[in-house]
Amino acid sequence: MSARSESRSEIVKLARLLEVDEDGLEYLVAVPADALRDYRESVVDLLFDDDREQLSRVAEASRLLPTGMLAKIGQHALGPLICAHLTGQIDPQRAAQIAQHFPSEFLVELAAEMDPRRAVAVVVATPRETVIEIALGMARRGEHVAMGRFVAHLDDATLSECLQQLSDEDLLRIAFVLEGERAHERMFELAGAERMRALLDGAKAAGLEEEAAHLRDHLSASQRKQLGRRAAK
């Protein structure tokens, strides 16, 4: 497994978090991936926890208003970033009900700013059709880093449907920034060896050879053997 590739993956995630061009962080490629990951997670903690007390008061006050009105306030007064920070503070079922009043594009922007680890119950409570719609919208916006954070929190049926509807290029870009234990192996299991072989074979033409190598490196030995058998056939 390439240490450089692991660090590059973390640089891509850090650049999205800091909203800077990843080329400007290329000097960090020599830093071990674990150190970059620890730093990135510290920044996430700072961003989400710094105003936790104020957000908690807002979330508590939100219990007094109807969900439709809260959605209007969220969309027009707070914006996707603050709504993303608020999501984990609100009762999951109520948060899912509020989300039903948001237009699709706003949901896409909100999801791109979320840390799903802090709102797992909200993700679970969101209807499958809505999750798939958001995933496709995020792909159109190039929000592959954000998508990589969600994979571990989706059930198999929802994730499988997302994988079917996303392009090979999208899957390669998402795989490069995937988070969660055995996430790449799970992607392989749900997409199937034939799809994996096809997207890996097409990586060079798409200019995504590093992403393809990264994905292959994170598969199990038995999965890599399946790819080899398919290629031989």
Side-chain angles (χ1 to χ4, degrees):
M1 192 174 296
S2 168
R4 180 182 177 85
S5 176
E6 294 297 308
S7 293
R8 281 271 299 118
S9 173
E10 285 300 323
I11 288 171
V12 172
K13 297 175 191 177
L14 184 59
R16 172 61 185 87
L17 177 63
L18 300 178
E19 297 184 349
V20 299
D21 192 320
E22 62 191 67
D23 290 341
L25 300 180
E26 191 63 25
Y27 66 93
L28 295 173
V29 74
V31 179
D34 288 346
L36 291 173
R37 186 179 304 111
D38 289 344
Y39 174 73
R40 176 172 58 84
E41 291 180 352
S42 294
V43 173
V44 171
D45 290 341
L46 177 64
L47 292 174
F48 276 82
D49 294 340
D50 188 51
D51 53 2
R52 178 178 291 275
E53 186 176 339
Q54 290 176 305
L55 290 175
S56 295
R57 289 200 294 269
V58 173
E60 184 66 24
S62 72
R63 297 171 59 185
L64 304 175
L65 299 174
T67 55
M69 183 179 295
L70 288 172
K72 288 183 179 180
I73 293 172
Q75 181 183 355
H76 299 293
L78 301 181
L81 179 60
I82 295 178
C83 286
H85 286 216
L86 271 169
T87 301
Q89 304 283 335
I90 299 174
D91 174 78
Q93 292 297 330
R94 186 164 172 78
Q97 291 170 2
I98 295 170
Q100 293 177 8
H101 297 279
F102 286 137
S104 297
E105 189 59 30
F106 186 81
L107 280 176
V108 170
E109 295 175 2
L110 190 159
E113 302 294 347
M114 276 181 64
D115 179 0
R117 298 173 303 173
R118 299 164 188 269
V120 174
V122 178
V123 176
V124 172
T126 302
R128 180 180 304 168
E129 296 76 14
T130 302
V131 172
I132 295 169
E133 184 179 2
I134 292 171
L136 295 176
M138 292 173 79
R140 287 192 295 271
R141 290 170 59 93
E143 291 287 2
H144 300 103
V145 172
M147 296 173 77
R149 295 196 298 263
F150 276 91
V151 167
H153 305 289
L154 301 181
D155 63 76
D156 284 354
T158 302
L159 179 56
S160 180
E161 183 66 27
C162 288
L163 296 178
Q164 289 179 33
Q165 297 200 38
L166 291 169
S167 71
D168 289 353
E169 182 176 331
D170 285 326
L171 295 194
L172 284 168
R173 293 187 182 280
I174 294 167
F176 192 63
V177 292
L178 266 186
E179 298 185 21
E181 187 176 357
R182 293 186 65 251
H184 298 83
E185 296 177 33
R186 183 172 176 234
M187 175 183 283
F188 182 99
E189 292 166 0
L190 294 176
E194 186 174 345
R195 175 81 187 278
M196 287 290 107
R197 166 53 59 188
L199 67 89
L200 290 172
D201 285 348
K204 184 176 182 179
L208 297 172
E209 293 174 278
E210 182 180 18
E211 287 80 356
H214 186 87
L215 170 56
R216 195 191 308 269
D217 285 347
H218 284 79
L219 298 177
S220 69
S222 64
Q223 289 172 339
R224 288 195 293 272
K225 285 182 179 179
Q226 289 182 58
L227 291 174
R229 287 198 295 272
R230 294 276 177 164
K233 290 180 182 179

